[in-house]
Amino acid sequence: MTQFNEVEILMIDDDELDVELFQRTLKKRRIANRLIWAKDGVEGLDILRGESPTKINRPVMILLDINMPRMNGHEFLEALREDP
């Protein structure tokens, strides 16, 4: 059985301020889950596929912004659903 603190969080968001605020919230709430940041959907997919220097373990929770450059949240979800 997976413990909640073993779940890594992948935050896909192009706004660095949003990421910083979320990190502060995790710290304030004493949530020790590892937070990994991708700046857009392309980078997020690369991380999940293991094609990035940034490594992520399973299981993972994804926090996804909708409006981003290169690949927005809707495009990311479509690509993720098609990826085996």
Side-chain angles (χ1 to χ4, degrees):
M1 180 180 213
T2 301
Q3 302 249 346
F4 182 72
N5 62 358
E6 294 174 359
V7 174
E8 293 186 332
I9 301 168
L10 174 59
M11 186 169 186
I12 305 173
D13 196 321
D14 63 324
D15 189 336
E16 190 172 352
L17 181 58
D18 287 345
V19 177
E20 289 177 18
L21 290 171
F22 187 69
Q23 286 174 321
R24 285 187 210 156
T25 300
L26 289 176
K27 186 175 181 178
K28 186 175 183 178
R29 301 285 180 203
R30 296 186 179 137
I31 298 172
N33 300 67
R34 181 173 168 230
L35 179 66
I36 299 165
W37 176 35
K39 294 178 181 154
D40 59 41
V42 173
E43 188 176 338
L45 284 175
D46 287 346
I47 291 170
L48 289 171
R49 291 174 176 155
E51 299 170 356
S52 168
T54 303
K55 301 300 177 201
I56 193 165
N57 298 312
R58 302 281 193 276
V60 62
M61 177 189 332
I62 301 172
L63 300 175
L64 179 62
D65 186 12
I66 297 300
N67 297 313
M68 295 179 290
R70 288 203 309 168
M71 177 184 279
N72 67 39
H74 296 292
E75 294 165 333
F76 171 84
L77 287 174
E78 185 177 317
L80 185 63
R81 288 182 182 123
E82 293 174 0
D83 193 299

